[in-house]
Amino acid sequence: MEREIKIGKKYRHFKNKLYKVLDIVYDSESNNDDELKKVVIYQAQYGDNLKWARPYDMFNSLVDREKYPDVEQKYRFEEVD
Protein backbone atom coordinates (compact mmCIF):
# COMPACT_ATOMS: atom_id res chain seq x y z
CA MET A 1 0.00 0.00 0.00
CA GLU A 2 1.33 3.43 -0.96
CA ARG A 3 1.87 5.95 1.81
CA GLU A 4 -0.30 9.04 1.64
CA ILE A 5 1.49 12.39 1.64
CA LYS A 6 -0.52 14.87 3.73
CA ILE A 7 -0.98 18.57 3.03
CA GLY A 8 0.05 20.77 5.96
CA LYS A 9 2.34 18.16 7.52
CA LYS A 10 6.09 18.47 7.97
CA TYR A 11 8.50 15.94 6.50
CA ARG A 12 12.18 15.30 7.10
CA HIS A 13 14.29 14.66 4.00
CA PHE A 14 16.78 11.83 4.42
CA LYS A 15 19.58 14.44 4.36
CA ASN A 16 17.99 15.82 7.55
CA LYS A 17 16.36 19.05 6.30
CA LEU A 18 12.76 19.85 7.26
CA TYR A 19 9.97 20.70 4.76
CA LYS A 20 6.25 21.44 4.93
CA VAL A 21 3.87 20.10 2.27
CA LEU A 22 1.83 23.03 0.93
CA ASP A 23 -0.24 21.28 -1.71
CA ILE A 24 -0.57 18.31 -4.03
CA VAL A 25 -1.35 19.29 -7.62
CA TYR A 26 -1.54 17.64 -11.04
CA ASP A 27 1.03 17.96 -13.80
CA SER A 28 -0.70 19.57 -16.80
CA GLU A 29 1.67 17.77 -19.16
CA SER A 30 0.22 14.42 -18.05
CA ASN A 31 -3.33 15.41 -19.02
CA ASN A 32 -3.75 13.13 -22.02
CA ASP A 33 -4.56 9.44 -22.35
CA ASP A 34 -2.16 8.70 -19.50
CA GLU A 35 -3.06 8.83 -15.85
CA LEU A 36 -2.79 12.31 -14.28
CA LYS A 37 0.50 12.62 -12.43
CA LYS A 38 0.55 14.18 -8.96
CA VAL A 39 3.20 16.70 -7.89
CA VAL A 40 4.00 17.68 -4.30
CA ILE A 41 4.53 21.40 -3.60
CA TYR A 42 6.61 21.84 -0.47
CA GLN A 43 8.53 24.55 1.37
CA ALA A 44 11.86 24.44 3.17
CA GLN A 45 11.58 25.16 6.88
CA TYR A 46 15.07 26.67 6.98
CA GLY A 47 17.13 29.38 5.26
CA ASP A 48 15.16 31.35 2.67
CA ASN A 49 12.15 28.98 2.94
CA LEU A 50 12.27 28.20 -0.78
CA LYS A 51 9.34 26.38 -2.36
CA TRP A 52 9.88 23.24 -4.40
CA ALA A 53 7.94 20.84 -6.60
CA ARG A 54 8.66 17.12 -6.91
CA PRO A 55 6.72 14.26 -8.50
CA TYR A 56 4.53 12.57 -5.87
CA ASP A 57 6.03 9.15 -6.52
CA MET A 58 9.57 10.50 -6.08
CA PHE A 59 8.64 12.38 -2.88
CA ASN A 60 7.13 9.12 -1.61
CA SER A 61 10.01 6.86 -2.70
CA LEU A 62 12.46 4.77 -0.70
CA VAL A 63 16.00 6.01 -0.09
CA ASP A 64 18.44 4.58 -2.64
CA ARG A 65 20.46 2.22 -0.40
CA GLU A 66 23.17 1.66 -3.00
CA LYS A 67 23.87 5.38 -3.26
CA TYR A 68 23.25 6.18 0.44
CA PRO A 69 24.04 3.00 2.44
CA ASP A 70 24.43 4.79 5.80
CA VAL A 71 21.11 6.66 5.82
CA GLU A 72 18.79 5.50 8.61
CA GLN A 73 15.51 6.71 7.09
CA LYS A 74 13.49 4.26 5.01
CA TYR A 75 11.81 6.87 2.79
CA ARG A 76 13.18 9.93 0.99
CA PHE A 77 10.77 12.08 3.05
CA GLU A 78 9.27 10.94 6.37
CA GLU A 79 6.50 12.69 8.29
CA VAL A 80 7.48 14.25 11.63
CA ASP A 81 5.33 15.44 14.54
Side-chain angles (χ1 to χ4, degrees), residues 7 21-28 30 36-41 52-56:
I7 296 168
V21 172
L22 302 178
D23 209 349
I24 296 171
V25 300
Y26 292 99
D27 179 358
S28 64
S30 70
L36 288 172
K37 293 188 175 146
K38 292 188 212 178
V39 177
V40 178
I41 308 299
W52 301 93
R54 184 182 296 257
Y56 189 95

Side-chain angles (χ1 to χ4, degrees), residues 12-76:
R12 183 184 325 103
H13 186 264
F14 73 92
K15 292 182 179 176
N16 214 28
K17 298 284 189 178
L18 195 61
Y19 299 88
K20 182 177 182 180
V21 172
L22 302 178
D23 209 349
I24 296 171
V25 300
Y26 292 99
D27 179 358
S28 64
E29 298 303 311
S30 70
N31 191 8
N32 51 34
D33 292 338
D34 298 327
E35 179 180 328
L36 288 172
K37 293 188 175 146
K38 292 188 212 178
V39 177
V40 178
I41 308 299
Y42 59 105
Q43 184 172 28
Q45 300 298 288
Y46 61 89
D48 290 337
N49 299 100
L50 296 176
K51 293 178 185 168
W52 301 93
R54 184 182 296 257
Y56 189 95
D57 291 342
M58 184 184 285
F59 191 96
N60 207 15
S61 67
L62 297 169
V63 172
D64 181 343
R65 293 288 169 203
E66 287 185 25
K67 193 171 180 181
Y68 302 100
D70 297 331
V71 171
E72 293 183 20
Q73 262 183 224
K74 180 177 180 179
Y75 293 98
R76 180 181 293 270

Side-chain angles (χ1 to χ4, degrees), residues 3-13 18-19 21 59-60 73 75-81:
R3 295 180 321 141
E4 178 186 357
I5 303 304
K6 301 171 191 162
I7 296 168
K9 296 290 183 177
K10 291 185 180 175
Y11 289 80
R12 183 184 325 103
H13 186 264
L18 195 61
Y19 299 88
V21 172
F59 191 96
N60 207 15
Q73 262 183 224
Y75 293 98
R76 180 181 293 270
F77 289 89
E78 290 189 357
E79 186 177 340
V80 295
D81 293 329

